Amino acid sequence: MRTDTAVTDAAAGSEDRPGARVLALSARAGKLLAAHPRTRPLTAGLPRADTSPLRVALMGPYSAGKSTLVAALLRLTPSEAGALVDAAPKTQEATPYEWDGTTLVDLPGTQSGDDGHADAARRGVRGADALVIVTTSELPGETETAAILDALGPDGFADRSVVVVNKMSAENSDREVVIGEIRARLGPFAGRVPIVPTDARDYLDALHDPSLPAADRAALVAESGIDALEAELRRVLAPGVAGLRPRAQAYELLRVLADAERRWELDGEELDAALTARRAKDAVTAAREVVLSALHRESGVVADRTTAAGERVAAAVSDKNGTVPDRVARAVEDEEEDMAADFDAKFFSAMRTAFDTLAAEYGTRVPEPDAWAHDLETSGTAPDPAPEEDSPLSRSAKEAAKNGMKAGAAKAGEWFGKVKDGGHGPGSTAAAVVDKLSKNGVARKILDVGGKVTNGAEGFKPWGKTKAAKKLVGAAGKAQWVMDAIGPLTDLAGVVREQGEWKAVNDRRQAIRDRFAEQARARREALTDAGTRYVDEWIARVEQSLAGLTERGTRIDAEREAALTALAELRDEAARLAGPVPS
């Protein structure tokens, strides 16, 4: 929709109205298109504020009778009709005619072999608010059918058009059969677009033949279908300018934006430059990804080897004094040196491979990577010193032992009495004590004074427990044994100390594992960070060295991507304003 009227909100009305929204979006599109020489000429075709009468374009192939239909709708005299029909095929531009408060636009016929006619017809369709799609009873062929479906679908005229099947009386055809065939060709639009059979020539003849009786004239006029066409046109045009034009303008805006996207299709030297830049960018990106993949893999190997070394150190910690054997410590140091050397070699090998690949494509333009070396810090494997004798644990154990002896001595006699009086059979207190002695070293130390019950054995055979229980019952009645049994309670601190030292060793082992695990994480992170910086510094040098080869193409590609992104955003908004795409 093109007029010379400036885009103004005043002409469009309130911003809440569809027309105002379309024009605001068109103004944004104008700024975008004007920003680059490629698309600047397209700004002339953008929708602008337009309150002129609705434009109804007659679209169809050469000799379908469009001009005769215009003459019939305008009720032209025979001489006027003859002048219009004789002149129409010779023009290459759309011809406007005023009709019922609208503008009928007679478009040049398509499929005439004249490209100028086809171009003018296309421009006329783009400037129309509604369409009269004209075909004949001979039925449209594949090319004409495709053009009709394009107008109804992508061009958005499905709800703003009438299909006219002209020359119905000139051919000996069955109307119902012809209309059925036309409807089949319309496919998904058959139920949305009215189909009107007409014969404009019969209408003109009947209108101006003075010899026809009035009844015959009325019958011929009715059969010509012109009155039915007028009725359908008035129905389609009923929403008026405010109802039809915003949607027509939204579709035209979509077409302009599509034209703009096509303007960004590169060719010639620009395409060559862009392709060169893209290939170089892809090659450099691929080289970087290959090296970073190797960095990730090899830093993971270092982390795994560090963790495994920690497990070996922890397993080697002495149960007696919690120390790490020198041979294990030296082996771990050697392992650290080996893993550092292996990482350096494999990582730099990946860098050289990436360099060789780029150099094979771009020659001496590609700078060689600097030598790589990364010293791994040692983990420090010496465990913490063993707890001292007067550690808080030892002091607490001694104090607990003293308190326990004071509190337990008063009850000891009573408990030993239960042992003595309870017998030695299954389920007796003596049997329970013997079972405890059999399983627990601490219990043997406290209750089996001098090995009197177990005779120094670490445990009992099942058949020996009964004898031991009997011996325990006998001993429980002797005051000396009771005193001897209470005495070892004072040495409970020693037992706790032994258990504390064992726990300290285990804690030391876990601490070593934790320290090596943290070292593994830190090493991997440090190697990844340092390696990534190293790779990126080299990639930056490569990109700088290739700038002369890629700079122009990169600039063109960047401009193109930015423009296409902005155009796509505008297209999406215009599509929403145009409404659902006809299917």
Side-chain angles (χ1 to χ4, degrees):
M1 315 297 308
R2 297 192 297 273
T3 72
D4 294 330
T5 309
V7 178
T8 62
D9 288 340
S14 167
E15 291 184 358
D16 292 335
R17 294 178 182 174
R21 294 197 294 270
V22 172
L23 295 178
L25 188 60
S26 180
R28 285 171 51 195
K31 292 180 181 179
L32 176 63
L33 299 184
H36 199 280
R38 286 177 183 275
T39 53
R40 194 169 295 141
L42 297 178
T43 58
L46 288 169
R48 290 172 168 78
D50 182 5
T51 57
S52 64
L54 290 171
R55 287 179 286 275
V56 184
L58 282 79
M59 163 193 159
Y62 176 78
S63 77
K66 297 186 300 297
S67 298
T68 306
L69 275 172
V70 171
L73 290 170
L74 296 178
R75 308 295 197 273
L76 298 182
T77 65
S79 59
E80 292 172 335
L84 185 152
V85 172
D86 290 341
K90 300 174 183 178
T91 182
Q92 292 190 3
E93 294 298 330
T95 306
Y97 301 92
E98 297 305 314
W99 173 78
D100 198 28
T102 66
T103 301
L104 295 178
V105 183
D106 188 9
L107 301 179
T110 57
Q111 303 181 53
S112 64
D114 190 323
D115 291 339
H117 282 191
D119 292 341
R122 181 61 185 162
R123 289 194 298 272
V125 169
R126 292 184 62 160
D129 297 297
L131 285 183
V132 174
I133 301 173
V134 184
T135 186
T136 70
S137 58
E138 295 178 353
L139 300 177
E142 291 183 3
T143 302
E144 185 184 350
T145 298
I148 292 172
L149 294 178
D150 282 345
L152 297 176
D155 287 342
F157 283 99
D159 299 316
R160 296 177 287 131
S161 63
V162 177
V163 172
V164 173
V165 187
N166 200 25
K167 301 184 180 181
M168 284 298 297
S169 299
E171 302 291 338
N172 187 18
S173 304
D174 187 314
R175 287 196 175 203
E176 295 304 321
V177 172
V178 171
I179 292 175
E181 289 294 329
I182 295 293
R183 186 171 287 111
R185 282 163 170 73
L186 295 183
F189 305 105
R192 299 172 60 181
V193 182
I195 302 172
V196 180
T198 65
D199 196 302
R201 176 57 60 189
D202 274 5
Y203 180 85
L204 290 173
D205 290 344
L207 192 65
H208 299 294
D209 187 349
S211 64
L212 282 176
D216 291 343
R217 178 178 291 109
L220 286 173
V221 166
E223 290 179 3
S224 71
I226 298 302
D227 290 343
L229 173 59
E230 287 183 336
E232 286 294 349
L233 280 175
R234 290 190 177 96
R235 183 189 62 79
V236 170
L237 302 176
V241 173
L244 287 181
R245 184 148 294 158
R247 193 172 186 197
Q249 289 181 325
Y251 272 102
E252 178 58 11
L253 178 56
L254 284 171
R255 290 189 283 267
V256 172
L257 294 174
D259 290 343
E261 289 177 337
R262 284 189 286 272
R263 292 290 181 98
W264 278 104
E265 293 177 0
L266 304 178
D267 57 14
E269 292 182 358
E270 287 187 330
L271 177 60
D272 291 341
L275 290 176
T276 298
R278 292 173 200 168
R279 284 194 294 267
K281 179 181 179 181
D282 290 344
V284 172
T285 299
R288 182 178 185 274
E289 289 176 352
V290 166
V291 178
L292 291 182
S293 177
L295 173 62
H296 179 78
R297 181 181 62 252
E298 297 306 324
S299 63
V301 170
V302 169
D304 290 343
R305 291 175 69 174
T306 301
T307 301
E311 289 293 336
R312 290 196 296 274
V313 172
V317 170
S318 171
D319 290 335
K320 295 182 178 180
N321 54 22
T323 61
V324 177
D326 289 343
R327 59 180 177 75
V328 175
R330 285 194 299 272
V332 170
E333 291 176 357
D334 293 341
E335 172 73 3
E336 290 177 335
E337 292 179 2
D338 290 344
M339 71 175 72
D342 290 346
F343 174 86
D344 290 346
K346 292 178 180 178
F347 177 52
F348 193 66
S349 174
M351 284 291 293
R352 291 297 306 183
T353 299
F355 164 74
D356 292 341
T357 300
L358 289 175
E361 180 71 22
Y362 300 104
T364 56
R365 288 190 181 94
V366 182
E368 292 194 34
D370 297 330
W372 161 269
H374 184 80
D375 294 330
L376 296 174
E377 297 180 358
T378 59
S379 62
T381 58
D384 297 331
E388 299 178 358
E389 284 294 322
D390 58 348
S391 67
L393 177 63
S394 297
R395 291 195 298 271
S396 297
K398 289 178 180 179
E399 187 66 25
K402 292 177 182 178
N403 294 337
M405 186 176 70
K406 292 177 181 179
K411 295 183 178 181
E414 179 183 351
W415 183 81
F416 282 113
K418 290 181 179 180
V419 173
K420 175 179 178 296
D421 298 335
H424 61 272
S428 65
T429 302
V433 171
V434 169
D435 189 59
K436 178 70 70 174
L437 295 175
S438 176
K439 296 178 180 178
N440 195 305
V442 177
R444 282 197 299 274
K445 186 166 187 179
I446 296 173
L447 300 175
D448 190 19
V449 181
K452 293 178 181 180
V453 176
T454 62
N455 292 325
E458 293 296 322
F460 302 100
K461 299 290 186 182
W463 50 267
K465 288 186 178 181
T466 301
K467 292 182 178 180
K470 184 177 181 180
K471 185 183 293 188
L472 180 62
V473 169
K478 299 177 181 178
Q480 183 59 46
W481 186 82
V482 173
M483 296 306 297
D484 289 342
I486 293 175
L489 289 174
T490 59
D491 196 31
L492 182 60
V495 176
V496 175
R497 183 175 62 250
E498 290 175 4
Q499 292 181 332
E501 290 174 353
W502 175 83
K503 183 176 183 300
V505 169
N506 278 345
D507 288 347
R508 201 167 305 127
R509 286 171 175 154
Q510 187 58 46
I512 290 172
R513 293 188 187 96
D514 293 344
R515 184 161 58 248
F516 271 83
E518 174 60 23
Q519 186 73 17
R521 184 202 61 75
R523 282 179 175 176
R524 182 168 194 172
E525 184 176 299
L527 287 174
T528 300
D529 290 347
T532 300
R533 287 195 301 272
Y534 171 71
V535 174
D536 287 345
E537 288 171 1
W538 177 64
I539 291 295
R541 290 168 52 206
V542 172
E543 290 174 338
Q544 181 64 32
S545 68
L546 297 179
L549 186 66
T550 63
E551 185 174 7
R552 180 168 179 259
T554 299
R555 175 180 53 77
I556 293 172
D557 247 356
E559 288 179 346
R560 178 176 180 272
E561 288 302 315
L564 290 178
T565 298
L567 287 170
E569 180 181 345
L570 290 172
R571 187 184 63 235
D572 291 343
E573 292 188 45
R576 287 193 291 272
L577 293 175
V581 177
S583 58

